[in-house]
Amino acid sequence: MDSFDSVDAETILGGRSDWIDADLAGRLAEHPLDGVETEFPHWIGAVDSPEAFDRPSDRHPVFYGCYDWHSAVHSHWCLVRLLRLFDDHPDESRIRECVGERLTAENVGRELERFEENPTFEKPYGWAWLMRLAAELYLWDDPVADEWRTTLRPLESRIVDLVESEFLTDERPFRVGTHENTAFALAGVVDYARVTGDGDLAAAAGERARAFYLEDSDYPVEYEPLGWDFLSPALTEADLVRRVLDPGEFAGWLDGFLPDVRAEPYDAVLDPVAVEPDSDEGVEYHLIGLNLSRAWCLAGVADALADHRDAEALERSAERHARRGVRQAFTDDYAGAHWLSSFAVYLLTRDEGGIAPAESRA
């Protein structure tokens, strides 16, 4: 999206939506709207006999689009967030109709049945996005948001229970750049708990974050990225820890956690990943997502550091990642289109509530 070239750094990193015009708001909704209604192609993620096969819309009647369940969930989050932030969104009526058709008590009940049958389905990535969707409905002051959240609540409650029993009890974190990343999911749990005022859950998630990560030091950032990463294990961890430590304590932790990112070879983490747009392997879209997620992590960490010696370098890196990421995010190739707009919305609206809320510390 070349129009971002004319947007100044403060605006693109500010995380506010007041500069986004109707055209851009519409483009941010275009692919999520199409995706949540696209049943095939679809990755089922289950082993069945031919006789036991269910269509995705039968198996998951709310979140059957967007190639996989978690992408359908965060595309719904994206659409709800756009409605919350833009009172006159150009696609408001279609979004309301689209989400409302899926989010019925019967459909949520069938989604819930699948978690009774397979309680670790989509752990932890999909769980974190479901909690973000619920939190977004909590933040949105609109009658339909109250209606939708009431409808979603049985599934929301089940996911919260599973987080408490099956995720916060994990004995070690997964330090990967893909869906199993523990820090990304923990950040979603912390944010949900703060938005909804669940102090016990916020405290438990904060305790896990401290137990998993506070002793980390000299992280090997020079090895990133690996394979199909769309998250930076190092930066995602830092983005979580900034949520649970006071700024001074966080700055001290970061000094021990990261090597000198202004020196070789560690400075490579500050450069956006080069993406080959004509690759036929699909990995390029994960790398575009990596640039977007790195951007929001770098910007959030820089915000928390104030006058720290690395703050300026991290902020400049965040700008480069953001520009590279949004320029390539709006592809018509379904391999990227089914999920990248959500990452762009997360980055561009990260200071509009629900993401790293600071009302209280876990």
Side-chain angles (χ1 to χ4, degrees), residues 15 40 42 74 92 98 124 130 139 147 160 251 255 318 356:
F40 294 102
H42 192 93
H74 65 68
E92 178 179 0
C98 177
L130 193 284
L139 289 169
E147 175 187 339
V160 171
D255 284 342

Side-chain angles (χ1 to χ4, degrees), residues 316-353:
R316 290 198 305 267
S317 174
E319 179 191 356
R320 296 196 301 274
H321 278 86
R323 293 193 187 281
R324 178 74 63 86
V326 295
R327 188 179 296 121
Q328 296 182 303
F330 297 89
T331 174
D332 289 329
D333 187 331
Y334 194 61
H338 78 271
W339 66 283
L340 284 172
S341 291
S342 299
F343 273 44
V345 168
Y346 189 111
L347 167 64
L348 297 175
T349 69
R350 65 185 181 87
D351 200 32
E352 290 282 12

